[in-house]
């Protein structure tokens, strides 16, 4: 077997707590399907037959009881539960399932919605015998108004600096603004080997990684690494250019460096294959080189290689903020071939449902309602004379007569009283809005969700 | 008397029979193949009758013939005059015996002669009948399936413009679950019988991730071939054998199957996949033949582990003998030919020639090298890097400057992709150019080639069997302008990126192989000796 898929679905959605305090992030409905369906669909379309899903007990229960998931997803899901409060990072999770991993792995995050041709990422991994191959995409500006956002969007968001070589495929440098104190520091060894480097900042990391099996074994030995994206990937990218083990000067280092070297030692030894001599012979006899202009052989003789595929066009969203959630809901219905109005929904004759809206199963839409550019979730009840524009209504919501909802997000099981006027609001799970209220640009959540100061 | 008459009638009827047959053949060809089955049946019947008639000299041959011809299928028009012909002949023949009684003895002698002749003819009849018919009917083959195929079946990869061959290939690939790679772009008409793939459509587009039908190391190898990461005849063979070692390692015999037969069947879809990624080279073909032979020679009672170990050892020894030791032997011979003060010209990046030059430099020969390079591959840069890293003095030119620097050159060393059975050298495109110009300047041309690259194919031109690389490689951007960017929109424009060409043996002075230094025309001898060994 070539690759095993691992889906990380245990994250908390810490950047959109308003949405996720009651519903776990993997089960958030996007386009009337749970968020976790999208990466699973991607893996299934490409040809995977089984996936290891790392998640919490709540999500596991929901997955096993959801009928639609069972019919839609034909792959075998091997669900591994971890404690919610264990605060495990993604690398810790990989360490947890180390026994199940027998080949190279493809790690996907549950909040990834994309239509990328996955073979582009995996081909880089295969052809160059790479240790890491990842997917990145150009960031799309979000155009929709986000409820509850006061003032302009913070421009000082932590940027990622990604350095690639001339071909745009080899990953040379990766750092987050948060880790840099004053400026960007580039090692001379990198510049000597790759004199032309392109540094890009407007890239979104899709959190899709192809990792060699030896990396998992390395993680087992180095328990200090907790997060794949935060620690492991920058470490691997740096390691491409550190001195190889054969250099004799490494012997006089201190204790700390010795431990570091042991770690390095592990990674290098683990990544050499059995028939290294033949591979070396083939490479020697081949008249190919990945760079021009200096005297070194292909790949500069390095054993570790990291590659990245940067998507120029196509859809790639990571649903980890409210803005991304709203954007994804807007874009995702175009992916489906299903009819926008579910056959089991009871839509009355005298209501107006726009062509860019989707209605979930078992909904009841009453007379004289108008729904434009919105997503209405499962089992929602919309009464008469309601106007819904540009909004996201989740599952089990009841909206009484005469409401006007614009640009808002209404979470599961909320009730909006009659005649309410909500503009750009976010109504949390299970909340009740009194009739005849007018709210603009507010986040309405329960008092138990407010943080203690 | 009646016998002699009968014999005469017989011979006349023979003649008419043959005429008939000729006419039938001509008619069958004219009227299409649907009727040949019945024709064949009838022909067969008549041949049988023919033989019977020869067997019993006595008896009424005419009557039997008429009986045979009566149940013939309805071919009325032209048949009936032919049938009517023997009847009046018979009629007239029956009248003539009265007159022909006189020279009885000579007739008996004649009869004996004729009998002897017919016996000998009958003996050689079954084998030669078709050929005889062929030669008598001065037209190409008539009845297809009964005849031996005169031309060997053409390989698929040179029949791309034949829709029947393409359909056969598509069916075969579907059966093996290997994706079919589609051709790209407009092909120059002279080469429309060859595949032309694009690097932008990799062969992995249609197979699932993770691959199930094909072993992962074979997929990796195919990708490396199609992207050019592993290029060069020796490198491709070594990488192929390495991948096969991994396949054999991961292989487990299914129940009720034998390793010797099942493993060979398992390798076929892998080989199809690799040839979809990039057409197989001659060295790869020979390596595959060797492996398949070794696998089929595994005795049945051998245990699986033992068999696998044996195969791995075979592969290792093949690589060691045919590639590593061969290159050492060739360097030894070649170094004798390099003298101090030489100016050696090399073309492109041949792993063997580079090895020879590095060894010669280590053995303290004083020489300098001129590296000739050509677009679009520009492989000479890699050769230049390796030689300069070693410390050899090098000059670098493009092939357009060839006649300018050739007066300085004392020898030309060329690598080969394959050596064909008629002594032609198949190598990177541009090699024949170099050999031609070198011949014009009377500079000796030495080709270095291991014996495992010797191929039984015969080719005299570079059109029949070649490889077309991605045409987009020819597009170059200079000063920010890419003139050929939209070459596909110009209907009359075709980009041709050939990979190989053949050099005739008149331009090659010596071939240095691990068996020694031989002239180009001795290649068939080597092949014959190799076949006898095997």
């Amino acid at each position: 077997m070539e690759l095993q898929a691992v889906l990380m679905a245990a994250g908390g959605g810490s950047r959109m707590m308003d949405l996720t305090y009651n519903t776990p992030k993997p089960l958030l409905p996007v386009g009337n399907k749970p968020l976790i369906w999208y990466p699973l669909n991607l893996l299934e379309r490409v040809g995977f037959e089984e996936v290891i899903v790392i998640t919490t007990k709540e999500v596991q229960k929901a997955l096993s009881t959801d009928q639609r998931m069972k019919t839609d997803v034909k792959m075998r899901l091997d669900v591994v539960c971890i404690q919610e409060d264990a605060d495990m990072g993604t690398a810790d999770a990989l360490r947890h399932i180390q026994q199940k991993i027998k080949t190279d792995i493809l790690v996907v995050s549950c909040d990834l919605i994309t239509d990328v041709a996955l073979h582009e990422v995996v081909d880089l991994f295969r052809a160059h015998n790479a240790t890491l191959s990842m997917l990145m995409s150009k960031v799309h500006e979000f155009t929709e108004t986000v409820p509850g956002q006061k003032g302009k969007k913070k421009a000082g968001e932590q940027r990622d600096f990604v350095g690639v070589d001339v071909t745009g495929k080899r990953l040379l440098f990766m750092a987050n603004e948060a880790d840099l104190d004053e400026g960007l520091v580039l090692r001379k060894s990198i510049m000597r080997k790759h004199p032309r480097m392109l540094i890009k900042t407007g890239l979104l990391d899709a959190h899709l990684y192809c990792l060699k099996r030896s990396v998992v074994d390395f993680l087992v030995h180095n328990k200090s690494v907790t997060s794949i994206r935060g620690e492991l990937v920058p470490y691997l990218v740096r390691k491409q250019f550190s001195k190889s083990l054969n250099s004799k000067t490494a012997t006089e280092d201190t204790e700390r460096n010795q431990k570091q070297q042991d770690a390095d030692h592990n990674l290098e030894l683990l990544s050499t294959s059995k028939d290294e001599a033949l591979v070396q012979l083939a490479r020697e006899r081949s008249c190919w080189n990945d760079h021009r202009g200096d005297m070194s052989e292909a790949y500069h003789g390095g054993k570790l290689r990291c590659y990245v595929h940067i998507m120029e066009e196509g859809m790639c969203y990571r649903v980890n903020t409210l803005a991304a959630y709203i954007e994804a809901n807007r874009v995702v219905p175009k992916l489906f071939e299903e009819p926008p109005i579910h056959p089991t929904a009871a839509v009355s004759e005298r209501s107006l449902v726009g062509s860019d809206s989707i209605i979930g199963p078992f909904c009841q839409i009453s007379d004289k309602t108008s729904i434009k550019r919105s997503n209405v979730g499962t089992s929602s009840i919309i009464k008469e004379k309601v106007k819904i524009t540009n909004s996201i209504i989740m599952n089990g919501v009841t909206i009484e007569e005469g409401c006007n909802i614009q640009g808002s997000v209404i979470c599961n099981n909320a009730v909006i009283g009659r005649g309410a006027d909500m503009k750009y609001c976010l109504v949390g799970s299970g909340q009740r809005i009194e009739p005849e209220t007018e709210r603009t640009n507010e986040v309405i959540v329960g008092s138990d969700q407010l943080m203690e100061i | 008397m009646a016998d002699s008459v009968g014999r005469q009638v017989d011979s006349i009827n023979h003649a008419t029979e043959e005429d008939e047959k000729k006419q039938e053949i001509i008619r069958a060809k004219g009227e299409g193949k649907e009727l040949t089955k019945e024709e064949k049946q009838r022909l067969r019947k008549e041949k049988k009758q023919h033989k019977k008639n020869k067997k019993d000299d006595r008896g009424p041959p005419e009557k039997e013939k008429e009986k045979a011809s009566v149940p013939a299928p309805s071919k009325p028009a032209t048949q009936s005059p032919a049938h009517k012909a023997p009847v009046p002949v018979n009629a007239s023949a029956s009248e003539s015996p009265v007159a022909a009684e006189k020279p009885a003895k000579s007739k008996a002698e004649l009869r004996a002669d004729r009998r002897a002749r017919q016996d000998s003819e009958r003996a050689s009849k079954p084998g030669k009948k078709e050929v005889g018919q062929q030669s008598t009917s001065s037209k190409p083959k008539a009845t297809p399936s009964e005849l031996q195929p005169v031309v060997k079946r053409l390989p698929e990869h040179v029949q791309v413009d034949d829709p029947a061959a393409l359909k056969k290939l598509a069916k075969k690939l579907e059966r093996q679950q290997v994706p079919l790679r589609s051709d790209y772009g407009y092909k120059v008409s002279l080469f429309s019988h060859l595949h032309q793939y694009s690097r932008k459509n990799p062969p992995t587009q249609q197979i699932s991730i993770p691959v199930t039908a094909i072993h992962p190391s074979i997929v990796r190898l195919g990708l490396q071939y199609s992207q050019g990461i592993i290029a060069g005849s020796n490198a491709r063979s070594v990488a192929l054998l390495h991948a096969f070692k991994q396949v054999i390692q991961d292989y487990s015999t299914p129940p009720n199957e034998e390793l010797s037969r099942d493993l060979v069947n398992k390798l076929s879809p892998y080989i199809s996949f690799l040839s979809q990624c990039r057409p197989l080279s001659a060295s790869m073909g020979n390596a595959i033949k060797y492996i398949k032979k070794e696998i089929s020679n595994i005795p049945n009672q051998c245990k699986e582990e033992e068999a696998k170990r044996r195969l791995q050892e075979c592969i290792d020894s093949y690589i060691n003998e045919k590639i590593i030791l061969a290159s050492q032997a060739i360097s030894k011979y070649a170094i004798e030919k390099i003298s101090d003060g030489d100016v050696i010209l090399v073309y492109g990046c041949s792993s063997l020639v580079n090895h020879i030059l590095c060894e010669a430099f280590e053995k303290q020969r004083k020489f300098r090298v001129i590296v000739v390079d050509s677009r679009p591959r520009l492989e000479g840069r890699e050769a230049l890097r390796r030689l300069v890293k070693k410390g050899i003095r090098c000059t670098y030119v493009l092939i357009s400057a060839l006649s300018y620097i050739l007066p300085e050159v004392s020898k030309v060393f060329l690598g080969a992709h394959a050596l064909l059975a008629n002594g032609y050298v198949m190598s990177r495109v541009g090699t024949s150019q170099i050999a031609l110009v070198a011949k014009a300047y009377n500079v000796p041309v030495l080709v270095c080639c291991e014996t495992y690259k010797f191929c039984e194919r015969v080719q005299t031109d570079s059109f029949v069997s070649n490889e077309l690389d991605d045409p987009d490689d020819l597009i170059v951007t200079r000063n920010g302008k890419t003139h050929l960017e939209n070459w596909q929109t110009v209907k009359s424009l075709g980009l041709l990126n050939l990979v190989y060409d053949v050099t005739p043996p008149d331009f090659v002075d010596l071939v240095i192989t691990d068996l020694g230094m031989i002239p180009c025309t001795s290649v068939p001898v080597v092949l014959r000796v190799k076949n006898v060994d095997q």
Side-chain angles (χ1 to χ4, degrees), chain A residues 2-3 46-48 119 123 126-129 275 278-279 282 284-289 292 294-297, chain B residues 204-205 208-211 220 223-224 228-231 234-235 242 245 319 349 381-382 385-386 388-389:
Chain A
E2 194 193 357
L3 277 182
V46 170
F48 275 95
H119 72 86
D123 277 350
R126 290 165 174 153
H128 298 276
N129 212 6
D275 266 320
L278 274 188
V279 172
E284 259 174 51
R285 297 296 176 121
S286 171
C287 52
W288 177 84
N289 206 324
R292 298 264 158 239
D294 65 358
M295 280 293 167
S296 20
E297 51 193 14
Chain B
T204 48
Q205 252 178 350
S208 66
I209 305 165
V211 282
R220 171 178 305 152
L223 270 176
Q224 288 175 331
I229 296 175
I230 303 233
N234 283 337
H242 168 67
K245 271 180 92 171
I319 295 178
C349 184
R381 296 182 295 180
E382 186 58 24
R385 179 187 75 78
R386 288 180 199 193
V388 171
K389 192 169 178 187

Side-chain angles (χ1 to χ4, degrees), chain A residues 73 111-113 151 173 184 292 364 378 453:
Chain A
V73 176
D111 52 13
L112 177 66
I113 300 180
F173 179 78
L184 206 75
R292 298 264 158 239
Q364 289 174 30
T378 320
I453 303 176

Side-chain angles (χ1 to χ4, degrees), chain B residues 333-460:
Chain B
Y333 288 124
I335 287 173
E336 292 169 27
K337 292 285 176 193
I338 300 179
S339 30
D340 285 348
D342 258 346
V343 179
I344 299 178
L345 186 131
V346 298
Y347 177 64
C349 184
S350 163
S351 54
L352 188 54
V353 172
N354 291 345
H355 184 253
I356 292 173
L357 293 177
C358 292
E359 289 263 303
F361 188 74
E362 272 173 31
K363 297 222 163 67
Q364 317 298 330
R365 293 278 194 278
K366 305 272 176 292
F367 59 93
R368 68 182 179 92
V369 174
I370 299 181
V371 179
V372 177
D373 202 4
S374 73
R375 275 197 70 230
R377 285 182 173 233
L378 291 172
E379 289 169 337
R381 296 182 295 180
E382 186 58 24
L384 185 67
R385 179 187 75 78
R386 288 180 199 193
L387 295 175
V388 171
K389 192 169 178 187
K390 200 77 184 173
I392 303 174
R393 270 175 55 208
C394 294
T395 309
Y396 176 87
V397 291
L398 287 181
I399 196 170
S400 35
L402 186 58
S403 50
Y404 169 70
I405 42 119
L406 240 145
E408 299 176 12
V409 173
S410 62
K411 303 192 168 61
V412 176
F413 271 79
L414 297 174
H417 172 255
L419 236 59
L420 305 175
N422 55 350
Y424 278 65
V425 178
M426 181 179 222
S427 184
R428 186 69 80 222
V429 66
T431 313
S432 62
Q433 176 92 318
I434 300 217
L436 173 66
V437 181
K439 183 88 182 162
Y441 280 88
N442 282 324
V443 174
V445 173
L446 293 88
V447 169
C448 310
C449 182
E450 299 95 334
T451 47
Y452 87 107
K453 289 186 197 161
F454 284 20
C455 171
E456 277 164 14
R457 232 170 37 201
V458 169
Q459 224 177 299
T460 52

Side-chain angles (χ1 to χ4, degrees), chain A residues 110-262:
Chain A
C110 69
D111 52 13
L112 177 66
I113 300 180
T114 179
D115 62 352
V116 72
L118 209 52
H119 72 86
E120 307 254 4
V121 180
V122 181
D123 277 350
L124 283 173
F125 183 69
R126 290 165 174 153
H128 298 276
N129 212 6
T131 314
L132 161 73
S133 167
M134 55 191 283
L135 173 68
M136 286 192 150
S137 155
K138 287 210 178 336
V139 165
H140 305 277
E141 285 301 319
F142 296 139
T143 48
E144 305 278 338
T145 332
V146 179
Q149 210 159 59
K150 292 160 175 56
K152 286 212 186 81
K153 221 163 45 147
K154 319 188 279 275
E157 236 173 62
Q158 304 289 319
R159 291 178 292 177
D160 273 330
F161 292 97
V162 178
V164 293
D165 75 341
V166 192
T167 60
K169 298 275 171 201
R170 180 96 186 259
L171 194 53
L172 302 175
F173 179 78
M174 176 172 284
N176 190 288
E177 197 171 346
D179 301 328
L180 306 170
D181 295 327
E182 296 138 357
L184 206 75
V185 177
L186 289 174
R187 293 169 67 175
K188 246 200 231 171
S189 57
I190 308 180
M191 296 306 294
R192 230 177 273 130
K193 290 179 182 169
H194 297 268
R196 296 192 67 182
M197 188 191 320
L198 301 167
I199 300 194
K200 303 185 181 221
T201 50
L203 289 182
L204 167 75
D205 185 346
H207 280 228
L208 190 145
Y209 309 107
C210 272
L211 291 168
K212 260 207 155 67
R213 167 110 184 275
S214 47
V215 176
V216 179
D217 298 335
F218 165 77
L219 280 180
V220 168
H221 285 112
N222 294 53
K223 301 210 190 314
S224 58
V225 180
T226 50
S227 149
I228 296 184
R229 175 63 178 87
E231 289 165 53
L232 183 62
V233 170
Y235 175 76
L236 288 175
V237 173
R238 267 199 320 270
K239 226 51 228 90
Q240 288 179 98
F241 301 106
S242 56
K243 287 201 185 59
S244 73
L245 207 55
N246 297 329
S247 61
K248 300 277 185 283
T249 58
T251 47
E252 306 105 31
D253 285 301
T254 64
E255 263 286 314
R256 194 172 54 82
N257 279 0
Q258 190 62 35
K259 281 214 195 92
Q260 187 69 24
Q261 273 166 54
D262 281 337

